[in-house]
Amino acid sequence: MPTKQKTFIDDLLKNGRSSGSKAKTTSARRPKSSGKKTPLYVLLIFIAAQLSPVLFISPTLNYFMEQGMDRQTAGIATSGWLIFLTMGIGFILTLIVVFRDKRFFDIWRGTKSSLPMSIIWGFLGFLLLLIGQSLAALIEMRFFGIDPGSENTASLVSIAEVVPLAILSIVLFGPILEELVFRRVLFGSLNQTTNFFFATAVSALVFALIHFDFTHLLLYFTTGLILAFLYQKTKRIITPIIAHICLNSYVMLIQLNMDKILEFQKQMENLQTAGFFFISQ
């Protein structure tokens, strides 16, 4: 083989090996996938946590009745323990899935609010939720004749009284899971592909429907709107989580101590009446 031709072939083979090596290096340094399946996993875990208690109702109910509970109390205890266990397990699994995907929360363009400001907005959001729910309840009562009391809330209070551990699911596990599902997954995904108003309306409507308290649909819908606004405002999921936790904690605190609150109000009214009597003398 002529020397020039041999040199050309050697150079060609050498360049080919070099190119292959560079390709491998480039492939090795290619950034990992952003975890597009993570939102789906979060959604599936949430659905499983909501539906799985059905599988254990009968044996759990029988267990509590064998312990001497009447059927009604056993039913409440069953609901409480299943809510605590399924939501707790769902909470742990969701955190594992979410924190394995470092880009799960990187869905916003622009600058996020600072962490301190996001926390402040979380507490301000709690006040917005109180105002929004008060207005929604007023509209329901004034225009539709709906009483302010919520069957869903009353049921959760009954459960918390029988199974105190269920309070963790109501004020911690539930709000965090719901914000990850309805604000990050549903609202966040729709906001990327449509617009803020459509994403807010759809996510708030689904959030309202999933509570199965259709009498107070407007109240839950309003709550969903405000929570979506808070997420959009700071671009940090911690903001609606704080607001949601504060709201549920406030409701549970008031409802669980309603007897004491009413008694205190009665005592204050008696003191005012007595004071007015002495002044009039």
Side-chain angles (χ1 to χ4, degrees):
M1 181 181 294
T3 304
K4 291 184 178 180
Q5 186 176 358
K6 183 178 180 181
T7 303
F8 172 78
I9 293 174
D10 290 339
D11 290 340
L12 184 62
L13 292 174
K14 184 178 179 181
N15 290 335
R17 287 193 297 268
S18 177
S19 299
S21 176
K22 289 181 180 179
K24 290 180 181 179
T25 303
T26 303
S27 177
R29 294 180 180 178
R30 186 175 298 168
K32 294 181 179 180
S33 172
S34 59
K36 294 181 180 180
K37 292 183 179 180
T38 302
L40 176 61
Y41 294 152
V42 171
L43 182 60
L44 291 176
I45 292 172
F46 180 78
I47 293 174
Q50 296 295 314
L51 298 180
S52 58
V54 177
L55 302 175
F56 305 99
I57 288 177
S58 181
T60 309
L61 179 63
N62 291 334
Y63 169 78
F64 285 120
M65 291 183 67
E66 290 174 358
Q67 301 303 311
M69 292 185 181
D70 60 85
R71 188 172 185 84
Q72 182 178 0
T73 305
I76 296 174
T78 297
S79 298
W81 279 106
L82 290 181
I83 287 174
F84 169 69
L85 292 173
T86 56
M87 294 294 283
I89 294 172
F91 174 74
I92 294 171
L93 292 177
T94 300
L95 291 186
I96 292 173
V97 169
V98 166
F99 286 112
R100 288 184 64 185
D101 182 2
K102 296 181 180 180
R103 299 186 181 184
F104 180 68
F105 297 108
D106 295 336
I107 62 172
W108 297 100
R109 295 179 181 177
T111 306
K112 296 180 180 179
S113 298
S114 65
L115 184 58
M117 184 56 65
S118 299
I119 293 173
I120 291 173
W121 265 105
F123 290 109
L124 291 176
F126 165 59
L127 298 178
L128 288 177
L129 287 172
L130 291 180
I131 295 172
Q133 287 199 345
S134 298
L135 292 175
L138 182 62
I139 292 173
E140 288 179 344
M141 184 171 57
R142 182 69 61 87
F143 295 99
F144 303 102
I146 299 174
D147 294 331
S150 170
E151 292 183 5
N152 183 51
T153 301
S155 176
L156 291 176
V157 171
S158 299
I159 290 172
E161 289 175 341
V162 176
V163 185
L165 277 176
I167 295 176
L168 285 175
S169 294
I170 298 169
V171 305
L172 184 64
F173 302 154
I176 293 176
L177 285 175
E178 288 181 358
E179 291 313 305
L180 290 174
V181 170
F182 296 106
R183 250 56 68 184
R184 165 54 188 92
V185 174
L186 185 55
F187 168 74
S189 299
L190 288 174
N191 194 45
Q192 287 179 298
T193 55
T194 57
N195 58 69
F196 170 75
F197 298 102
F198 180 80
T200 301
V202 172
S203 62
L205 180 59
V206 176
F207 174 76
L209 292 173
I210 203 67
H211 284 82
F212 297 103
D213 192 353
F214 303 115
T215 303
H216 296 284
L217 195 66
L218 178 61
L219 189 145
Y220 287 103
F221 180 75
T222 303
T223 301
L225 293 178
I226 295 173
L227 291 170
F229 161 76
L230 293 173
Y231 189 27
Q232 169 80 9
K233 176 66 179 179
T234 64
K235 299 179 176 59
R236 288 184 183 271
I237 196 66
I238 189 66
T239 303
I241 285 177
I242 290 174
H244 200 158
I245 288 176
C246 287
L247 178 66
N248 284 20
S249 300
Y250 172 79
V251 171
M252 291 303 297
L253 183 64
I254 295 297
Q255 293 295 326
L256 289 174
N257 294 279
M258 184 58 70
D259 293 340
K260 295 179 181 179
I261 293 173
L262 293 176
E263 183 180 353
F264 176 75
Q265 289 179 343
K266 186 176 181 180
Q267 290 177 353
M268 293 300 296
E269 290 175 358
N270 292 336
L271 288 174
Q272 290 177 354
T273 303
F276 177 77
F277 174 77
F278 285 117
I279 291 174
S280 62
Q281 293 295 323

